[in-house]
Amino acid sequence: MRLSKRGEYGMRAMILLANQKAESDIHFMQIKEIAQREQIPSKFLEQILLTLKNAGLVNSKMGVNGGYYLSKPANEITLGQVFRVLDGPLAPIRCVSQMAYEPCGCPDEESCGLRLVMLDVRNAISDILDNTNLEQVAQRVENVRNKQPSLNPLNSDF
Amino acid sequence: MRLSKRGEYGMRAMILLANQKAESDIHFMQIKEIAQREQIPSKFLEQILLTLKNAGLVNSKMGVNGGYYLSKPANEITLGQVFRVLDGPLAPIRCVSQMAYEPCGCPDEESCGLRLVMLDVRNAISDILDNTNLEQVAQRVENVRNKQPSLNPLNSDF
DNA sequence: TTTATAGTCTACTATTATAGTAAACATACT
DNA sequence: AGTATGTTTACTATAATAGTAGACTATAAA
């Protein structure tokens, strides 16, 4: 589980799209606007959104006033899904991956200490990302924005 | 958190060294032997062990009957330490890294939804790797080996 | 004191992933 | 018809990964 730039940009774009959806029901958001608001190179973002579209997570409309939008309600898209599309398996090592298992070459997988621990890690990651959807993230963002208008910028609990 | 081949090989070597230490008090284990038992290219393993030595996690003795051994008791070396030496920060993204923080370029870090979630992920990973030491891994391996003597047909103990 | 053994160090290579850029093309609204 | 938008293909530069090769150095036993 390491987030590449592609993954980071794609996740941020999806979260932004989820926020938009909450505001007006179907808003076509253009690459240029997303790129500007999230500080992402727009040509790179183009590739990323295309990948997400091919995976069925977003749709788009061409032409004037076109743009991108989530293909499903925000609460039906998990961060795990987005991550897997852009950065592959959640597992830190293939021998504990659910979606892309491969033997790693250790002499005995059953009693491989590394594998036992990494399986725990994979499950911990999955517990978070597969159980967090875009709506929940958008909600968290809003909570932070509302609850602290002017307190200590380093403190995130109040 | 993604384990490279370097990381995987290094972790497996460390776990093997931890097992050896339990058996005879100071046993110098040679690169060749580790490479053979763990199926690791020995020239690559050489580099990895050197890195671990420079980080102070193992020591070595040159010459006839030389080899490598853990520089500290197995219960004082965590998987987190080994991982960081070979594969860098645990965090999936730099903006939530404790050891190698860097801003990621989002417009407002405080209210970045991605960052909030990734911080949870980082902490979940750290909870496991920074609280698991080589002795515990060795113990887990032994438990598996003892408790299932003949279930797995690939088991090489019989 | 020679010799075999074992780690050390410096270079080099091949492949893949990352992070883009550029330009032609297709579609849809006015 | 023209313009704004997404689509597709092709290209590039840099870095990381996964090694390999070979010379060098230290140790201990014969």
Side-chain angles (χ1 to χ4, degrees), chain B residues 56-67:
Chain B
L57 296 179
V58 297
N59 282 328
S60 62
K61 199 180 108 181
M62 280 181 137
V64 181
N65 294 325

Side-chain angles (χ1 to χ4, degrees), chain A residues 96 109-121 123, chain B residues 15 19 79 128-129 131-148:
Chain A
V96 297
E109 214 175 64
E110 284 308 302
S111 65
C112 176
L114 183 60
R115 194 175 140 279
L116 291 170
V117 177
M118 288 301 149
L119 187 55
D120 289 348
V121 172
N123 290 335
Chain B
I15 293 169
N19 272 330
L79 293 187
I128 297 175
L129 296 186
N131 292 311
T132 305
N133 61 52
L134 292 176
E135 186 176 87
Q136 292 168 323
V137 178
Q139 191 57 56
R140 261 179 100 169
V141 168
E142 220 164 285
N143 287 345
V144 172
R145 288 215 173 115
N146 294 337
K147 281 184 187 166
Q148 328 210 357

Side-chain angles (χ1 to χ4, degrees), chain A residues 68-129:
Chain A
Y68 279 91
Y69 57 99
L70 296 185
S71 65
K72 290 182 277 192
N75 64 9
E76 291 177 19
I77 301 177
T78 67
L79 294 187
Q81 288 168 355
V82 181
F83 183 94
R84 288 187 177 89
V85 166
L86 297 172
D87 277 330
L90 296 187
I93 188 172
R94 300 295 278 267
C95 63
V96 297
S97 171
Q98 302 283 307
M99 77 174 284
Y101 167 82
E102 256 178 43
C104 68
C106 62
D108 177 24
E109 214 175 64
E110 284 308 302
S111 65
C112 176
L114 183 60
R115 194 175 140 279
L116 291 170
V117 177
M118 288 301 149
L119 187 55
D120 289 348
V121 172
R122 191 217 86 91
N123 290 335
I125 295 170
S126 166
D127 277 348
I128 296 175
L129 295 186

Side-chain angles (χ1 to χ4, degrees), chain A residues 14-81:
Chain A
M14 291 296 278
I15 292 169
L16 185 60
L17 286 175
N19 273 328
Q20 288 313 105
K21 196 147 192 173
E23 292 171 16
S24 62
D25 197 39
I26 287 195
H27 176 70
F28 301 101
M29 201 168 194
Q30 290 163 14
I31 292 179
K32 211 167 59 178
E33 188 185 351
I34 302 176
Q36 201 165 28
R37 289 181 48 173
E38 292 290 337
Q39 309 280 15
I40 302 171
S42 68
K43 284 308 234 175
F44 193 21
L45 179 60
E46 190 182 302
Q47 288 180 359
I48 294 167
L49 287 171
L50 218 36
T51 303
L52 290 169
K53 184 185 176 176
N54 291 334
L57 297 179
V58 297
N59 282 330
S60 63
K61 200 180 108 184
M62 278 182 141
V64 181
N65 295 325
Y68 279 91
Y69 57 99
L70 296 185
S71 65
K72 290 182 277 192
N75 64 9
E76 291 177 19
I77 301 177
T78 67
L79 294 187
Q81 288 168 355

Side-chain angles (χ1 to χ4, degrees), chain B residues 37-88:
Chain B
R37 289 182 48 175
E38 292 289 336
Q39 309 281 15
I40 301 172
S42 67
K43 281 307 232 174
F44 194 22
L45 180 60
E46 185 183 305
Q47 287 182 1
I48 295 166
L49 288 171
L50 219 37
T51 302
L52 291 169
K53 184 183 177 180
N54 290 334
L57 296 179
V58 297
N59 282 328
S60 62
K61 199 180 108 181
M62 280 181 137
V64 181
N65 294 325
Y68 279 92
Y69 58 99
L70 297 184
S71 65
K72 291 181 277 191
N75 64 9
E76 292 179 16
I77 301 177
T78 67
L79 293 187
Q81 288 168 355
V82 180
F83 183 93
R84 288 188 178 89
V85 166
L86 297 172
D87 277 330

